[in-house]
Amino acid sequence: MVTRLPGDNLRTAQEGLTACFQGWSGSDFDPALCPVRGVLDRLGDKWTTLIVIALAAGPRRFSALRREIPDISKRMLAQTLRDLERDGLISREVFPTKPPSVEYRLTGLGESLLEPLNALIAWAQASQPDIAAARHAYDAAAAVEG
Amino acid sequence: MVTRLPGDNLRTAQEGLTACFQGWSGSDFDPALCPVRGVLDRLGDKWTTLIVIALAAGPRRFSALRREIPDISKRMLAQTLRDLERDGLISREVFPTKPPSVEYRLTGLGESLLEPLNALIAWAQASQPDIAAARHAYDAAAAVEG
DNA sequence: CAGAATCCAATAGGATACTG
DNA sequence: CAGTATCCTATTGGATTCTG
């Protein structure tokens, strides 16, 4: 175990991101092929992360998810679940009851997303006051200069 | 320093996300007020993360960013930079040369995003083969059943 | 060079109604 | 219950033109 200085994690992250970035920022590279974009586009849509977080607590049925994410429409819930299943992040199990019930749960791959996602959420929560303050200051400055 | 078992980080992430989730999944809570959604919506747009990653390597000028992200339009670059500045993640410095040049750099708050972002990118890169395989399997299965 | 403004196309996503 | 299908609106974002 090495001793870690305060700026150490930051430098590691800088280097990792820079190395990654240089791999696909070359002008003759097709941006559509960049795997990072593909994955982040998914995570970036309106509902994916919410559903993953909801499923982090355990398996859920379709209507249970609807209750936990009150403002999602049936359409988008069904579609996002399908996309997540297609990407192998969640699995779908149909119980042939009557009426039928369907249970969704994270796969191992889906669970592996929880750690980096948790880090990001923690950052969002910790930074939210700073961001709000910055926005307020920016808007106030913009207002005085017309 | 405690010993860490293999599943330990996962459990920590599960608990953290679940606790966070329960805070705002209550049905009488206005989803628009959820700070996590606000922040993740920003990170989820098409260009924000790309720009942050580009700036992780150091300050950049407007046209340098355009070269490094070849498929961004002037409009979206300007708009995304403005939003990032408003949120306090980057700072903007104008040099009164002629013609003018403007330099953007990450603030301390912006740098603090690099670590969680790096974790997510690393996950995306590591998981990309699994995701591609899952998609292929899903599509193949969907094809046979009509 | 670094934008702002305008216009327009593509997509995301909500509401509703219908099905097994 | 767990979806699908259709329609429609709002937002995103590209192309182009104009300015200091």
Side-chain angles (χ1 to χ4, degrees):
Chain A
M1 198 67 188
V2 296
T3 309
R4 288 192 154 280
L5 299 173
D8 221 22
N9 289 326
L10 171 57
R11 227 163 341 224
T12 302
Q14 280 177 332
E15 289 165 10
L17 288 169
T18 300
C20 155
F21 180 70
Q22 288 172 344
W24 39 264
S25 73
S27 55
D28 55 346
F29 185 84
D30 183 358
L33 296 178
C34 168
V36 180
R37 293 207 198 190
V39 175
L40 288 200
D41 277 3
R42 270 305 161 73
L43 267 46
D45 73 22
K46 196 172 179 183
W47 302 113
T48 298
T49 38
L50 277 309
I51 293 176
V52 170
I53 293 174
L55 290 176
R60 292 282 190 279
R61 290 177 46 185
F62 189 88
S63 39
L65 287 169
R66 286 206 72 189
R67 277 190 299 275
E68 294 190 315
I69 308 174
D71 54 341
I72 194 173
S73 65
K74 290 173 71 162
R75 181 168 123 71
M76 289 315 296
L77 180 55
Q79 185 180 113
T80 309
L81 287 170
R82 239 195 344 268
D83 291 342
L84 282 169
E85 189 196 359
R86 188 170 104 99
D87 285 355
L89 296 180
I90 67 176
S91 63
R92 195 181 101 111
E93 188 176 5
V94 182
F95 296 96
T97 56
K98 200 172 149 120
S101 74
V102 180
E103 199 174 77
Y104 296 90
R105 75 178 64 222
L106 293 177
T107 62
L109 184 59
E111 283 184 339
S112 72
L113 173 58
L114 295 183
E115 288 182 35
L117 194 55
N118 185 42
L120 198 66
I121 301 281
W123 178 87
Q125 287 192 307
S127 307
Q128 189 251 345
D130 291 349
I131 292 176
R135 282 185 194 175
H136 190 276
Y138 184 95
D139 294 346
V144 296
E145 65 187 56
Chain B
M1 197 69 189
V2 297
T3 309
R4 288 191 154 280
L5 299 173
D8 220 22
N9 289 326
L10 171 58
R11 229 164 338 226
T12 302
Q14 280 178 330
E15 288 165 10
L17 288 170
T18 301
C20 155
F21 181 69
Q22 286 171 345
W24 39 264
S25 73
S27 53
D28 56 346
F29 185 84
D30 183 0
L33 296 179
C34 168
V36 180
R37 292 207 198 191
V39 175
L40 288 199
D41 277 5
R42 271 301 162 74
L43 267 47
D45 73 21
K46 197 172 178 182
W47 304 112
T48 297
T49 40
L50 276 309
I51 293 177
V52 170
I53 292 174
L55 290 177
R60 292 283 188 279
R61 291 179 43 187
F62 189 88
S63 37
L65 287 170
R66 285 206 73 189
R67 276 191 299 276
E68 293 190 317
I69 309 174
D71 54 342
I72 195 172
S73 65
K74 289 174 70 165
R75 178 167 129 66
M76 289 315 296
L77 180 55
Q79 184 180 112
T80 309
L81 286 170
R82 234 193 353 263
D83 291 341
L84 282 169
E85 189 195 0
R86 187 170 104 99
D87 284 355
L89 296 179
I90 67 176
S91 64
R92 195 181 101 112
E93 187 176 6
V94 182
F95 296 96
T97 56
K98 200 170 148 106
S101 75
V102 181
E103 199 174 77
Y104 296 90
R105 74 178 64 221
L106 293 177
T107 61
L109 183 60
E111 284 184 337
S112 72
L113 173 59
L114 295 182
E115 289 181 34
L117 194 57
N118 185 44
L120 198 67
I121 300 283
W123 178 88
Q125 287 193 308
S127 306
Q128 190 249 348
D130 291 349
I131 293 176
R135 281 186 195 175
H136 189 276
Y138 185 94
D139 294 346
V144 296
E145 64 186 57

